[in-house]
């Protein structure tokens, strides 16, 4: 009888221990998934969109996952002219359900909270010139955006860039299903890409797909040609002053 009780107690303890491990592993796997998606997004944006960003993360990130610069030709310049920089504050969402408008509202709040001194850029950066760098809100999602999310971002006075990057598929059946159901998206609002926006209507963004395997990537087009991706070397002065010029400090 004693032996039976001991076996039952040991079995119960093992089940409790196993359950505690499973419970503890769930938040960790979510963190790992989010981190992997952020790293994938960083590479995709660097290789195709001329963005030099870094991960922020942590408890004091202020709602910002990605921070850095976007290097684009001056609208009045040529392809060989030095590129200007645009500040980028971004969030990454690696969720299975569709991305809701609340994330657009959150990112609007982040920009209003951290950068109140440049709000005039969001109204009309052409008629209200300034030496300050323009600022763009970037929302990268692994799941598609809802219609309400797109409408919210398109109507925002803040320059918004939405990028849907579908999850990577491994098997042939998954790739075939992805080709039909899960196409990526790259879109921005008029405050960013419009004639009176930050880009002055001179740039076009597209989601490009390969015909053989359906793999996709974002691409920039300027003066009827695909714009090659370019970022300054990480050791250059343009990059080393990134942390010196911008600190994540909210306005009281």
């Amino acid at each position: 009888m004693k032996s039976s009780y001991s076996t039952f107690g040991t079995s119960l303890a093992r089940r409790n221990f196993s359950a505690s491990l499973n419970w503890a592993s769930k938040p960790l796997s979510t963190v790992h998934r989010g981190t992997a998606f952020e790293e994938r997004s960083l590479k995709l944006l660097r290789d195709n969109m001329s963005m030099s960003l870094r991960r922020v993360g942590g408890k004091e990130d202020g709602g910002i996952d990605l921070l850095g610069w976007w290097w684009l030709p001056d609208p009045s310049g040529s392809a060989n002219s030095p590129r200007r920089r645009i500040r980028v504050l971004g969030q990454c969402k690696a969720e299975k359900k569709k991305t809701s408008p609340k994330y657009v509202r959150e990112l609007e709040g982040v920009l209003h909270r951290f950068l109140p001194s440049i709000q005039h850029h969001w109204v009309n950066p052409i008629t209200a010139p300034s030496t300050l760098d323009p600022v763009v809100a970037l929302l990268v999602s692994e799941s598609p955006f809802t219609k309400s999310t797109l409408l919210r971002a398109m109507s925002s006075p803040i320059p918004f860039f939405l990028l849907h990057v579908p999850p990577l598929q491994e098997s042939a059946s998954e790739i075939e299903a992805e080709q039909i159901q899960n196409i990526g998206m790259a879109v921005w609002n008029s405050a960013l890409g419009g004639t009176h926006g930050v880009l002055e209507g001179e740039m076009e963004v597209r989601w490009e797909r390969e015909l053989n395997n359906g793999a996709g990537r974002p691409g920039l087009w300027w003066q009827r040609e695909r714009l090659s991706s370019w970022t300054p070397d990480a050791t250059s002065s343009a990059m080393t002053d990134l942390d010196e010029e911008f600190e994540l400090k909210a306005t009281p």
Side-chain angles (χ1 to χ4, degrees), residues 1 8 22 57 62 79 84 91 98 111 137-139 161 172 243 245:
M1 191 70 175
F8 173 78
N22 291 335
R84 63 168 177 160
Q91 288 187 353
K98 289 187 176 182
L111 266 72
L138 170 67
L139 181 57
F161 180 23
D243 293 324
E245 290 192 13

Side-chain angles (χ1 to χ4, degrees), residues 155-173:
S155 63
S156 177
I158 295 176
F160 248 99
F161 180 23
L162 301 184
L163 182 62
H164 164 42
V165 182
L168 295 173
Q169 310 297 337
E170 297 180 357
S171 67
S173 59

Side-chain angles (χ1 to χ4, degrees), residues 18 32 34 87 104 126 181 193 208 223 242 249:
S18 177
H32 283 171
R87 199 187 302 279
V104 175
I126 299 177
Q181 301 178 0
E208 304 166 342
Q223 296 182 348
L242 173 63
K249 293 182 179 179

Side-chain angles (χ1 to χ4, degrees), residues 139-205:
L139 181 57
V140 188
S141 175
E142 195 173 46
S143 60
F145 299 104
T146 65
K147 181 179 179 180
S148 298
T149 303
L150 293 172
L151 291 175
R152 173 75 187 199
M154 294 304 103
S155 63
S156 177
I158 295 176
F160 248 99
F161 180 23
L162 301 184
L163 182 62
H164 164 42
V165 182
L168 295 173
Q169 310 297 337
E170 297 180 357
S171 67
S173 59
E174 287 179 328
I175 292 176
E176 183 178 355
E178 189 273 339
Q179 291 177 350
I180 299 174
Q181 301 178 0
N182 206 5
I183 301 174
M185 172 187 289
V187 62
W188 52 45
N189 64 2
S190 59
L192 175 56
T195 304
H196 299 292
V198 173
L199 304 180
E200 302 181 22
E202 296 293 332
M203 305 286 296
E204 181 183 354
V205 63

Side-chain angles (χ1 to χ4, degrees), residues 49-50 70-74 82-84 86 199 203 220 227:
M49 299 295 292
S50 299
W70 196 3
W71 304 91
L72 298 175
D74 189 280
R83 298 200 182 188
R84 63 168 177 160
I86 298 173
L199 304 180
M203 305 286 296
L220 285 175
L227 184 66

Side-chain angles (χ1 to χ4, degrees), residues 1-231:
M1 191 70 175
K2 182 177 180 180
S3 175
S4 176
Y5 176 81
S6 176
T7 302
F8 173 78
T10 301
S11 177
L12 180 62
R14 286 176 177 173
R15 287 201 300 270
N16 290 338
F17 179 70
S18 177
S20 66
L21 286 179
N22 291 335
W23 177 85
S25 65
K26 289 181 180 179
L28 188 61
S29 64
T30 301
V31 171
H32 283 171
R33 179 183 176 186
T35 300
F37 182 64
E38 288 178 6
E39 294 291 350
R40 181 187 171 204
S41 299
L42 284 175
K43 185 178 187 305
L44 193 70
L45 292 166
R46 183 190 68 236
D47 295 346
N48 298 282
M49 299 295 292
S50 299
M51 290 189 184
S52 53
L53 309 176
R54 64 178 176 86
R55 292 180 58 238
V56 180
K59 295 181 180 180
E60 304 299 328
D61 62 9
I64 299 174
D65 298 322
L66 306 177
L67 173 66
W69 301 101
W70 196 3
W71 304 91
L72 298 175
D74 189 280
S76 59
S78 64
N80 297 324
S81 301
R83 298 200 182 188
R84 63 168 177 160
R85 67 182 187 181
I86 298 173
R87 199 187 302 279
V88 177
L89 278 71
Q91 288 187 353
C92 285
K93 301 298 178 183
E95 300 180 356
K96 294 183 178 180
K97 61 181 180 180
K98 289 187 176 182
T99 305
S100 71
K102 72 175 183 179
Y103 295 122
V104 175
R105 293 192 294 268
E106 286 180 4
L107 200 46
E108 286 176 329
V110 168
L111 266 72
H112 280 296
R113 189 165 69 251
F114 286 105
L115 303 169
S117 63
I118 57 171
Q119 291 183 13
H120 59 275
H121 275 291
W122 303 336
V123 178
N124 193 328
I126 299 177
T127 59
S130 172
T131 57
L132 295 173
D133 297 303
V135 181
V136 170
L138 170 67
L139 181 57
V140 188
S141 175
E142 195 173 46
S143 60
F145 299 104
T146 65
K147 181 179 179 180
S148 298
T149 303
L150 293 172
L151 291 175
R152 173 75 187 199
M154 294 304 103
S155 63
S156 177
I158 295 176
F160 248 99
F161 180 23
L162 301 184
L163 182 62
H164 164 42
V165 182
L168 295 173
Q169 310 297 337
E170 297 180 357
S171 67
S173 59
E174 287 179 328
I175 292 176
E176 183 178 355
E178 189 273 339
Q179 291 177 350
I180 299 174
Q181 301 178 0
N182 206 5
I183 301 174
M185 172 187 289
V187 62
W188 52 45
N189 64 2
S190 59
L192 175 56
T195 304
H196 299 292
V198 173
L199 304 180
E200 302 181 22
E202 296 293 332
M203 305 286 296
E204 181 183 354
V205 63
R206 303 177 185 177
W207 182 263
E208 304 166 342
R209 301 179 66 205
E210 295 183 11
L211 296 178
N212 56 344
N213 59 13
R217 65 179 184 182
L220 285 175
W221 289 71
W222 184 60
Q223 296 182 348
R224 300 182 180 181
E225 294 184 358
R226 193 181 195 279
L227 184 66
S228 59
S229 188
W230 179 90
T231 59

